[in-house]
Amino acid sequence: KRGYLMRKCTIEAGGKKTPLGKRSWKMYFCRLKELLLMLSNDETSKSTPQNTHSLKLHHAFAQVAVDYRKRPHVFRLFLADRSQFLYQSSDSREMNSWIEMINWN
Ligand code: I3P
């Protein structure tokens, strides 16, 4: 699965709250492949290590962020390193599809 998502980091690896100034929303072109979620600035850039970073989805979990009401179609991603992210998708269908794919493995 691939597509543009807005993302905001709320909890850093290790479990500490993301500090102010590092909590803003950013747009990424996301590619989900097996247990990797690769994030690039846009879809034209090749997924080379220079312009892409990857999140390991092993023991990760995604669920609708029902407590987050500022934006619609937002889900929360919990990673095994205890970091947490909010991801905003274009509509609820897209959101559910990302959640399903992330939780599939
Ligand atoms: C953050 C930015 C985010 C906001 C976040 C701010 O500031 O304004 O949009 O999240 O609020 O800290 P900065 O750009 O300086 O990092 P919301 O859009 O969810 O309000 P937060 O600290 O309550 O997460």
Side-chain angles (χ1 to χ4, degrees):
K1 181 166 178 66
R2 47 181 61 201
Y4 283 97
L5 292 172
M6 299 294 291
R7 185 185 82 159
K8 168 188 166 172
C9 184
T10 56
I11 308 278
E12 313 257 276
K16 274 199 199 146
K17 197 178 163 189
T18 305
L20 288 173
K22 287 173 71 184
R23 304 179 58 88
S24 52
W25 288 93
K26 268 186 213 146
M27 190 175 74
Y28 289 102
F29 187 70
C30 303
R31 297 174 177 91
L32 180 58
K33 202 166 179 241
E34 285 150 33
L35 285 171
L36 277 188
L37 181 63
M38 291 163 280
L39 298 102
S40 325
N41 292 336
D42 63 75
E43 61 195 296
T44 57
S45 50
K46 292 244 162 41
S47 19
T48 61
Q50 289 77 42
N51 54 31
T52 303
H53 72 278
S54 297
L55 301 179
K56 292 184 187 74
L57 295 179
H58 190 65
H59 289 160
F61 177 66
Q63 68 178 186
V64 182
V66 282
D67 58 317
Y68 188 82
R69 296 191 188 85
K70 291 184 190 173
R71 291 172 177 235
H73 320 308
V74 174
F75 67 91
R76 185 173 279 117
L77 178 63
F78 301 82
L79 297 187
D81 66 7
R82 291 166 68 197
S83 59
Q84 291 181 26
F85 301 88
L86 293 175
Y87 285 87
Q88 183 189 22
S89 29
S90 51
D91 54 48
S92 61
R93 207 185 125 101
E94 267 299 289
M95 178 183 71
N96 289 322
S97 154
W98 279 104
I99 291 174
E100 200 174 299
M101 295 292 285
I102 289 168
N103 293 340
W104 184 260
N105 288 284

